[in-house]
């Protein structure tokens, strides 16, 4: 069972920055893909960034150019650098991971962390 623990959330004013971290109980190299998913009450879940085994990254339109996903396999950690934050970025951010040792990304992410809250004030 993969355990994912997020940290780094908090409250910030619009225009500010935060960096989220997600520490995995197993090497991030063992997951074909990992992602950050944002949940806003009443709006459902949105995959905002994904990184795949070869380093390929994909971003949601709402965060493109402002957020950067990265990973450090030596630290078993996934990151999300969030710049130019907007009030619409407010939500709970979850780290999500593919089943370990799978050779493709199913985009279903059976493993998720407990989430970290980000609040952006105007």
């Amino acid at each position: 069972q993969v355990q994912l623990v997020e940290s780094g959330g908090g409250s910030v004013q619009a225009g500010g920055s935060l960096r989220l971290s997600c520490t995995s109980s197993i090497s991030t190299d063992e997951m074909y893909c990992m992602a950050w998913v944002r949940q806003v009450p009443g709006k459902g879940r949105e995959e905002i960034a994904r990184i795949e085994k070869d380093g390929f990254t994909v971003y949601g339109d709402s965060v493109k150019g402002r957020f950067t996903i990265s990973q450090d396999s030596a630290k078993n950690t996934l990151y999300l650098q969030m710049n130019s934050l907007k009030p619409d970025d407010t939500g709970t951010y979850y780290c999500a991971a593919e089943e370990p040792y799978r050779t493709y990304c199913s985009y279903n992410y059976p493993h998720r962390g407990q989430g970290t809250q980000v609040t952006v004030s105007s």
Side-chain angles (χ1 to χ4, degrees), residues 45-92:
R45 289 184 175 179
E46 174 190 10
E47 180 183 311
I48 57 172
R50 180 175 78 245
I51 187 166
E52 299 189 5
K53 199 170 183 69
D54 57 2
F56 180 69
T57 56
V58 178
Y59 296 93
D61 288 342
S62 63
V63 306
K64 202 173 294 184
R66 300 187 298 121
F67 290 10
T68 303
I69 187 171
S70 62
Q71 65 177 356
D72 185 339
S73 58
K75 297 182 179 179
N76 292 351
T77 301
L78 179 75
Y79 300 100
L80 184 69
Q81 178 66 44
M82 306 187 294
N83 298 329
S84 302
L85 282 160
K86 305 175 181 180
D88 284 349
D89 294 319
T90 295
T92 303

Side-chain angles (χ1 to χ4, degrees), residues 18-117:
L18 284 173
R19 188 176 80 156
L20 306 183
S21 300
C22 170
T23 302
S24 170
S25 59
I26 69 170
S27 173
T28 54
D29 282 345
E30 304 301 346
M31 274 81 77
Y32 193 90
C33 57
M34 298 185 73
W36 287 97
V37 177
R38 177 170 66 198
Q39 183 159 15
V40 178
K43 292 187 178 181
R45 289 184 175 179
E46 174 190 10
E47 180 183 311
I48 57 172
R50 180 175 78 245
I51 187 166
E52 299 189 5
K53 199 170 183 69
D54 57 2
F56 180 69
T57 56
V58 178
Y59 296 93
D61 288 342
S62 63
V63 306
K64 202 173 294 184
R66 300 187 298 121
F67 290 10
T68 303
I69 187 171
S70 62
Q71 65 177 356
D72 185 339
S73 58
K75 297 182 179 179
N76 292 351
T77 301
L78 179 75
Y79 300 100
L80 184 69
Q81 178 66 44
M82 306 187 294
N83 298 329
S84 302
L85 282 160
K86 305 175 181 180
D88 284 349
D89 294 319
T90 295
T92 303
Y93 286 69
Y94 295 88
C95 172
E98 180 56 83
E99 190 67 34
Y101 315 115
R102 186 169 281 175
T103 58
Y104 60 93
C105 187
S106 70
Y107 309 114
N108 287 329
Y109 310 114
H111 303 285
R112 299 175 189 263
Q114 81 289 350
T116 186
Q117 179 68 32

